[in-house]
Amino acid sequence: MPAIMYTLVNQPGLTGLKEGSRLLILADGSTLGTLGLPQLDKQAADRAGELILKGRPGTKIIPLQAANHNRTAYAVSVLEDCYFSNKKLVVFGAGHVALPLVEMAAILGFKTVVVDDRSEFCNSERFPGADALICNRDYSLSGEEIDRNTSIVIITRGHKHDQACLKEAIKSAASYIGMIGSSSKVRQTFKELLHQGASKQQLEKVAAPIGLDLGGQQPAEIALSILAEIVSMDNNGSGKPLKTVKTVVLE
Amino acid sequence: MPAIMYTLVNQPGLTGLKEGSRLLILADGSTLGTLGLPQLDKQAADRAGELILKGRPGTKIIPLQAANHNRTAYAVSVLEDCYFSNKKLVVFGAGHVALPLVEMAAILGFKTVVVDDRSEFCNSERFPGADALICNRDYSLSGEEIDRNTSIVIITRGHKHDQACLKEAIKSAASYIGMIGSSSKVRQTFKELLHQGASKQQLEKVAAPIGLDLGGQQPAEIALSILAEIVSMDNNGSGKPLKTVKTVVLE
């Protein structure tokens, strides 16, 4: 979860303030600690609310204001340190589903990487919000790192490319690997990879057919179902309506 | 589902072409009918792919090209008629969840309306993508229509406002009404509305607590879970991973 840590680094001599006092503000609004005065904590919380939405990591000194009981205002220096997740979404295939997928993933705080062999699809006019675009014939990642914070989505235009991407993906440390396709196409791909030496264990962790069953067939709805599956897996969600999970009984 | 209908309105005398021939192209890429020549259907399909992503309704005459067996090119006039859903999302409450919710809903093709009593939250700097912003003290809709294509999301900053919005929402024709809040807060709201004359039937259709259980707690994750619930309800989705719905057995 994103979090912002505030640390008092310089105080103008106001009673009760201590250098090094800390206030941690989490993305859900909960807090830990204090800068020493409610008025300072309030200013920090107001800033944090906006910063958490913007999602950019970074550290800087900011000026806050504290007033004493005579209402004289004093400048207080506070270190503001923004922590954000380094979760990344790698999308193989720059087609119709990739467009809304990359846009929504950015809103969810993912760094996004799009890979395709067609420069007319994989370009910054089409994906202005993507953090990286990799265009090459064999869909290789050109050094782009895949670790356990990475989710991989395989939605290329054809079975052959899907299979090649999946073959590499299952060797990676990615926490989520999903592949689009009908059950029969997925089965065919799995069979061929087993034949080429992949293990059942490697293939069983692949989310294929990809996404939660939301029933929608439009590109943006498929993108939504993919992201819902990634978030749900990451947080052990059930995918059921919360209404049925936390039932409210009407007497 | 968005769809584009192409109708041949004028043909230059090419054998096999008939005025009034129709080709319907759906958002999932499936087609019905033909303009009379594969080369014309192909041109229409290429246009349709882009138009469906842009999502703007409208009708116009477009020029396509058809060649005869001597490869002489002829101009063919075709009526292009874009149908898009008029689905609408009304969001009561312009807080942290509303921001990603409105952005993602726009990607999904919803017209979006945000309602709040605080002009410092409910403004176009904060919601550049919203189709309408309604700022008034009692969260009334100022004539904004609610029909069965409307989804209502109630996420105001407090119980009192949530209750007032829900009281009006359950009288509407909206196909989806969801309200945020813990089980106990939801129960309290329901109790008070029952006391004020609401029926059990009206309250039972309310999705509260709102959203699918994806487990995420960040604003964008909550927004995702709300939209996943709306799409899922609309399409009779199960919310389960497709992987488990359409199981691929590895022998």
Side-chain angles (χ1 to χ4, degrees):
Chain A
M1 189 185 290
I4 305 191
M5 173 71 89
Y6 290 93
T7 309
L8 195 76
V9 289
N10 189 285
Q11 71 111 329
L14 269 171
T15 314
L17 292 190
K18 273 185 200 161
E19 283 175 23
S21 297
R22 290 187 152 181
L23 168 68
L24 181 69
I25 302 179
L26 300 177
D28 63 1
S30 61
T31 64
L32 208 69
T34 175
L35 289 171
L37 283 173
Q39 51 185 294
L40 288 175
D41 291 353
K42 168 85 171 60
Q43 289 167 64
D46 287 348
R47 291 182 56 93
E50 295 298 317
L51 284 168
I52 280 167
L53 287 175
K54 284 181 187 146
R56 299 281 165 229
T59 301
K60 62 177 175 179
I61 303 276
I62 57 161
L64 297 185
Q65 297 272 325
N68 66 6
H69 50 84
N70 294 324
R71 297 195 180 166
T72 312
Y74 292 88
V76 179
S77 293
V78 172
L79 183 76
E80 179 179 69
D81 203 352
C82 305
Y83 300 89
F84 288 94
S85 78
N86 48 357
K87 58 187 180 179
K88 180 159 74 176
L89 180 72
V90 175
V91 184
F92 290 100
H96 282 178
V97 174
L99 288 172
L101 182 63
V102 166
E103 282 189 64
M104 289 188 195
I107 296 171
L108 284 158
F110 285 88
K111 182 186 168 193
T112 57
V113 180
V114 182
V115 190
D116 202 294
D117 60 333
R118 301 163 296 172
S119 59
E120 69 272 29
F121 281 78
C122 193
N123 58 59
S124 56
E125 283 77 49
R126 214 165 129 79
F127 293 95
D131 294 286
L133 294 159
I134 300 173
C135 187
N136 65 36
R137 197 179 293 180
D138 61 353
Y139 285 72
S140 70
L141 278 175
S142 308
E144 185 73 39
E145 203 190 332
I146 293 191
D147 61 20
R148 61 189 179 76
N149 294 310
T150 306
S151 299
I152 294 178
V153 170
I154 302 174
I155 47 172
T156 76
R157 70 183 181 287
H159 174 68
K160 195 188 82 182
H161 293 299
D162 282 349
Q163 186 180 319
C165 293
L166 184 60
K167 187 176 177 178
E168 294 308 311
I170 54 176
K171 298 174 192 164
S172 76
S175 58
Y176 173 92
I177 301 168
M179 185 178 71
I180 209 162
S182 64
S183 299
S184 61
K185 279 220 172 149
V186 170
R187 191 177 303 117
Q188 193 189 337
T189 303
F190 281 9
K191 263 189 180 174
E192 289 173 25
L193 289 183
L194 281 171
H195 187 71
Q196 290 174 37
S199 71
K200 271 192 190 182
Q201 208 185 349
Q202 284 177 318
L203 295 176
E204 272 161 2
K205 71 174 185 184
V206 177
I210 201 169
L212 294 190
D213 172 28
L214 305 181
Q217 296 303 319
Q218 291 181 44
E221 291 172 341
I222 294 170
L224 182 77
S225 84
I226 293 171
L227 290 167
E229 183 169 56
I230 293 173
V231 170
S232 185
M233 262 197 49
D234 203 29
N235 297 283
N236 292 315
S238 67
K240 293 178 188 166
L242 277 168
K243 179 184 179 172
T244 64
V245 176
K246 305 182 175 180
T247 315
V248 174
V249 181
L250 292 177
E251 289 131 31
Chain B
M1 188 186 290
I4 304 191
M5 173 71 89
Y6 290 92
T7 309
L8 195 76
V9 289
N10 189 285
Q11 70 111 330
L14 269 170
T15 314
L17 292 190
K18 273 186 201 161
E19 283 175 23
S21 297
R22 290 188 152 181
L23 168 67
L24 181 69
I25 301 179
L26 300 177
D28 63 1
S30 61
T31 64
L32 208 70
T34 175
L35 289 171
L37 283 173
Q39 51 186 293
L40 288 175
D41 291 353
K42 167 85 172 61
Q43 289 167 65
D46 287 348
R47 291 181 57 92
E50 294 298 317
L51 284 168
I52 280 167
L53 286 175
K54 284 180 187 146
R56 299 281 164 228
T59 301
K60 61 177 176 178
I61 303 276
I62 57 161
L64 298 184
Q65 297 272 325
N68 66 6
H69 51 83
N70 295 324
R71 298 196 179 165
T72 312
Y74 292 87
V76 179
S77 293
V78 172
L79 184 76
E80 179 179 69
D81 203 352
C82 305
Y83 300 89
F84 288 94
S85 78
N86 47 357
K87 58 187 181 179
K88 180 159 74 175
L89 180 72
V90 175
V91 184
F92 290 100
H96 282 178
V97 174
L99 288 172
L101 182 64
V102 166
E103 283 189 64
M104 289 187 196
I107 296 171
L108 284 159
F110 286 88
K111 182 186 167 193
T112 57
V113 180
V114 182
V115 190
D116 202 294
D117 60 334
R118 302 162 296 173
S119 59
E120 68 272 28
F121 280 79
C122 192
N123 58 58
S124 57
E125 283 77 48
R126 214 166 129 79
F127 293 94
D131 293 287
L133 293 159
I134 300 174
C135 186
N136 64 36
R137 197 180 292 180
D138 61 353
Y139 284 72
S140 70
L141 278 175
S142 308
E144 185 73 40
E145 203 190 332
I146 293 190
D147 61 20
R148 62 189 178 75
N149 294 310
T150 307
S151 299
I152 295 178
V153 169
I154 302 174
I155 47 172
T156 76
R157 69 182 180 288
H159 174 68
K160 196 188 82 181
H161 293 300
D162 282 349
Q163 186 180 319
C165 293
L166 184 60
K167 187 176 176 178
E168 294 308 310
I170 54 176
K171 298 174 192 164
S172 76
S175 58
Y176 173 92
I177 301 169
M179 185 178 71
I180 209 162
S182 64
S183 299
S184 61
K185 280 220 171 149
V186 170
R187 192 176 303 117
Q188 194 190 337
T189 303
F190 281 9
K191 264 189 180 173
E192 288 173 25
L193 289 183
L194 281 171
H195 187 71
Q196 289 173 37
S199 71
K200 271 192 190 182
Q201 208 185 349
Q202 284 177 318
L203 295 175
E204 272 161 2
K205 71 175 184 182
V206 178
I210 201 169
L212 294 190
D213 172 28
L214 305 181
Q217 296 303 319
Q218 292 181 44
E221 291 172 342
I222 294 170
L224 182 77
S225 84
I226 293 172
L227 291 167
E229 183 169 56
I230 293 173
V231 170
S232 185
M233 262 197 48
D234 203 28
N235 297 283
N236 292 315
S238 67
K240 293 179 188 166
L242 277 168
K243 178 184 179 171
T244 64
V245 176
K246 305 181 175 180
T247 315
V248 174
V249 180
L250 292 177
E251 288 131 31

